[in-house]
Amino acid sequence: MAAYQMSTKGDNPEECPVCLTGFDDLLQRPRTLPCGHTVCTLCTDKLKEQGRVTCPECRVRHAVPEGGQFPVSYTIEAFIRRLRDGKAAAASPPPSAGKGKGAAGSAGKKGAAGLSKKMRSFLQEQEATVVAAITACQEAQSQLDQYEATLTGWGERQQQLEDSLQGLMDQSRSSRELLQHEKFRVAPKRKEAKKKEQELQAVREKLRTTATEQEAFKVVGEMVRYASEAEQVLKECQQCFPDAGILTTARKVREASSAALEAAKAVQAAWKTVPTEEPRPQSVPEEPRPQSVPEEPRPQSDPEEPSSQSDPEEPRPQSDPDLTIMEKVQFILEPSLKAEDFRSLTQRTRSLLQAGRVFAVHQVGGQRRRHARISLEAGQPCLHALTDHPPPLGASTLQVSQVVPPSPPCTVFLDLSWPGRAPRRVHIRLSTDTPRGRQFLVLCTGQPGPSYRGTSLFGVGCKGRPGERVWGGDYESNGGKRKCVLLPGLEEGKEERPWRAGDVWGYGRQGVFGINTRDCQGVCPYCVFGEVVEGLHVVAEAAQHRDIKEVTVVDCGVVL
């Protein structure tokens, strides 16, 4: 009964349950999933999605093994082989069917038996590799076909632009000819007006020097005639000039030509600045580090994530194997990012971040434009403090206000270093929206101008005892003698509670901060506005350094 139900569903053990095609020893070998169901090789390849395969029978998702394929089901292959051998034996002719045919059949079996099972399996695996390479070639051809079609379309549009520019040149030439024709019309009239002026000047001289009435009547007659002729010439000039049609045409053609010329100049200037290779990201200069001390990896970094610093050997986006040819084309032609693309962290956004090609821009009023590098660390984008260093050519830019929260809650970071120690990161969670939290945030980004970057810790309290804490944040003198206030109301939000290791707090109207490294039963009389969530051991180690003022914030920023 059960066998009948399976056959009615098409559950033939010799067939793949997805494509209903019989298993074979080449392209459609049976593959066993961890759930126990069997699918052919081609179907498992089609079912792969983000490194996982969903079983078509029970819908359980399985991770693809490291080799890229699930194991071959040799039991199913042997079972199918026995079934086929049985069918072949049943369909084979009796021994009396002919001696020649029997000899040929035995020779075929003998040839097939010349390869061991292991060797046949090995050859089948090699054929699967060839099939995968063929598929990759076909995909490459498809991408190149799309790219070639794109180039053809661009070439056609470029030809249209050339035709349009040639049309503009023809119009410009026609306009110049019209202006020349107008100039030729003006010249005779100008000479004629000059002649009438000279005649009137001569008559005027005669009027002054006439001696008799007879001469006077004669001069007046000449004066009337010359004045009438001059009036006619002036009237013709007023009626004939300027030619409104010629001037309007010339103005429009001149404006269009000037706009095209400015655009061409901009293209030429950009062409001169584009290097033959894609510009690599410019690294932000860091504080010098001792040569004798090897750099220590940051604890929060993911070793599989690329470094946030520019590496001369770092692969460029055009070489990213995860991008198709057309995705790379889009990457090159449209380097700009939108805020929603950045928040969703698409593959293209990740590639830009990993290549060091994403920067945030900040400018307030008449201030200079400043830029902040955005890196991808442990899978999270981090905005570093604003600097005056310009971004590399072709970098994608966003406004700081598009990515940085205007106020807490958020997570910021300080990178601490001192002689003999490579920079290590301290993450601080600003949990509540207080004036001190907002000031701490903007000093980590550098939006108001100053930032914690380059400042030093300047004091340690209760060193080695309960309630131990360090002080920092004096961006004006690095000695704790300045108030360093950017926002009003810093004294608000005070609460009395026991000292807790990791608390970040401030006191009075000063803008400097303190970080507790040890618990204490005493009551904290200050405003606590944050907590160290990662890297407290770095602060505690800094507190034990012989000279706390050598501990420097080499970088800071906010986790986006």
Side-chain angles (χ1 to χ4, degrees):
M1 182 67 179
Y4 174 76
Q5 290 175 350
M6 289 177 63
S7 62
T8 57
K9 291 182 180 180
D11 291 337
N12 188 341
E14 299 182 58
E15 295 179 348
C16 171
V18 178
C19 61
L20 300 180
T21 303
F23 293 118
D24 59 27
D25 297 336
L26 299 175
L27 301 181
Q28 293 183 276
R29 302 189 71 183
R31 302 277 179 177
T32 301
L33 303 180
C35 59
H37 294 103
T38 305
V39 183
C40 75
T41 302
L42 294 181
C43 288
T44 56
D45 290 338
K46 294 178 182 179
L47 291 172
K48 289 178 184 177
E49 182 179 354
Q50 297 181 351
R52 304 185 74 84
V53 167
T54 301
C55 175
E57 298 281 349
C58 61
R59 310 307 298 171
V60 175
R61 287 175 60 81
H62 306 291
V64 178
E66 292 184 2
Q69 286 289 359
F70 292 95
V72 174
S73 178
Y74 296 106
T75 303
I76 294 293
E77 283 191 336
F79 175 70
I80 294 173
R81 196 175 294 113
R82 291 188 64 181
L83 284 178
R84 290 175 180 172
D85 290 345
K87 292 179 181 178
S92 61
S96 59
K99 184 177 180 182
K101 292 183 180 180
S106 63
K109 291 181 181 179
K110 192 173 184 179
L115 294 177
S116 65
K117 180 178 180 181
K118 183 179 294 186
M119 179 56 70
R120 285 199 302 271
S121 177
F122 173 74
L123 293 177
Q124 290 164 359
E125 292 287 350
Q126 297 307 308
E127 185 173 355
T129 301
V130 173
V131 170
I134 292 172
T135 303
C137 289
Q138 292 173 345
E139 177 63 25
Q141 292 179 54
S142 175
Q143 287 288 317
L144 291 172
D145 287 343
Q146 295 181 48
Y147 186 41
E148 184 178 11
T150 301
L151 293 175
T152 301
W154 288 347
E156 292 175 352
R157 288 196 292 273
Q158 195 66 36
Q159 183 62 52
Q160 293 173 0
L161 287 174
E162 290 182 16
D163 294 342
S164 299
L165 289 173
Q166 185 60 50
L168 184 59
M169 288 290 295
D170 295 339
Q171 292 179 5
S172 179
R173 188 178 298 108
S174 299
S175 175
R176 179 166 53 81
E177 292 174 353
L178 287 174
L179 293 174
Q180 190 67 22
H181 176 71
E182 184 74 349
K183 180 180 177 181
F184 290 154
R185 286 204 313 129
V186 167
K189 283 298 179 183
R190 180 177 58 78
K191 292 179 180 179
E192 190 175 354
K194 181 65 176 178
K195 179 181 178 182
K196 297 306 176 185
E197 178 194 357
Q198 292 174 347
E199 292 175 347
L200 289 173
Q201 288 286 3
V203 170
R204 179 186 179 190
E205 187 64 27
K206 289 179 180 181
L207 288 174
R208 290 179 178 178
T209 58
T210 184
T212 63
E213 291 186 358
Q214 183 177 2
E215 290 178 353
F217 283 119
K218 182 179 178 181
V219 171
V220 169
E222 291 178 357
M223 183 273 297
V224 172
R225 178 167 60 85
Y226 290 146
S228 177
E229 291 176 355
E231 183 180 358
Q232 181 63 28
V233 170
L234 294 176
K235 184 177 180 181
E236 290 176 357
C237 289
Q238 290 291 334
Q239 290 177 347
C240 296
F241 305 104
D243 189 308
I246 291 177
L247 294 187
T248 301
T249 299
R251 176 180 61 81
K252 291 182 178 180
V253 172
R254 184 177 66 253
E255 291 175 352
S257 301
S258 298
L261 182 59
E262 290 299 322
K265 288 180 179 178
V267 170
Q268 290 176 353
W271 180 262
K272 291 178 180 179
T273 58
V274 174
T276 55
E277 292 185 357
E278 183 194 358
R280 296 177 182 176
Q282 300 174 356
S283 59
V284 179
E286 294 189 352
E287 296 292 328
R289 298 171 182 169
Q291 297 298 322
S292 60
V293 179
E295 185 175 62
E296 178 180 344
R298 293 173 180 167
Q300 80 284 359
S301 304
D302 189 338
E304 296 184 357
E305 290 292 338
S307 171
S308 62
Q309 298 297 326
S310 173
D311 188 342
E313 299 300 328
E314 182 180 10
R316 297 189 295 273
Q318 283 78 351
S319 304
D320 191 339
D322 294 332
L323 297 179
T324 65
I325 294 175
M326 296 309 297
E327 287 173 339
K328 292 177 184 178
V329 170
Q330 183 183 12
F331 182 97
I332 297 170
L333 297 182
E334 301 179 6
S336 60
L337 281 179
K338 296 180 180 179
E340 51 268 26
D341 296 334
F342 182 81
R343 296 189 189 97
S344 61
L345 277 184
T346 61
Q347 177 60 43
R348 176 170 172 265
T349 303
R350 286 181 175 272
S351 297
L352 286 168
L353 288 168
Q354 292 169 358
R357 296 174 60 88
V358 182
F359 285 76
V361 182
H362 182 68
Q363 183 178 19
V364 178
Q367 295 181 4
R368 63 187 182 279
R369 287 170 62 91
R370 303 168 70 223
H371 300 84
R373 180 170 56 94
I374 302 180
S375 62
L376 188 66
E377 302 178 27
Q380 288 185 302
C382 298
L383 180 137
H384 300 255
L386 288 156
T387 67
D388 294 328
H389 298 284
L393 181 66
S396 297
T397 56
L398 295 160
Q399 293 296 322
V400 169
S401 58
Q402 292 181 294
V403 293
V404 175
S407 60
C410 60
T411 300
V412 297
F413 65 86
L414 304 175
D415 287 348
L416 301 183
S417 178
W418 56 90
R421 257 310 188 183
R424 289 180 293 171
R425 182 154 296 180
V426 178
H427 281 102
I428 299 173
R429 179 66 180 174
L430 306 177
S431 55
T432 57
D433 184 9
T434 62
R436 286 191 183 277
R438 288 195 296 272
Q439 175 158 294
F440 199 90
L441 170 61
V442 297
L443 282 170
C444 283
T445 61
Q447 291 169 263
S451 74
Y452 291 138
R453 180 185 174 95
T455 64
S456 301
L457 302 184
F458 58 80
V460 182
C462 300
K463 187 171 182 177
R465 305 193 307 272
E468 181 184 73
R469 61 261 190 193
V470 299
W471 293 298
D474 184 355
Y475 56 82
E476 294 180 341
S477 68
N478 267 341
K481 299 179 180 179
R482 303 297 180 91
K483 291 187 177 298
C484 302
V485 175
L486 295 173
L487 300 179
L490 297 185
E491 65 276 9
E492 298 175 3
K494 183 187 301 184
E495 61 173 323
E496 294 186 355
R497 68 179 196 184
W499 291 96
R500 291 191 304 206
D503 283 347
V504 183
W505 47 270
Y507 51 89
R509 289 189 172 89
Q510 291 190 342
V512 297
F513 63 85
I515 301 178
N516 290 354
T517 58
R518 298 191 183 190
D519 293 336
C520 179
Q521 294 302 318
V523 176
C524 173
Y526 305 127
C527 173
V528 177
F529 59 89
E531 177 187 5
V532 176
V533 294
E534 187 175 350
L536 183 60
H537 66 286
V538 178
V539 185
E541 189 175 341
Q544 303 305 314
H545 186 63
R546 62 181 181 275
D547 185 359
I548 190 63
K549 292 185 179 180
E550 291 183 344
V551 180
T552 306
V553 180
V554 296
D555 198 4
C556 55
V558 58
V559 180
L560 304 178

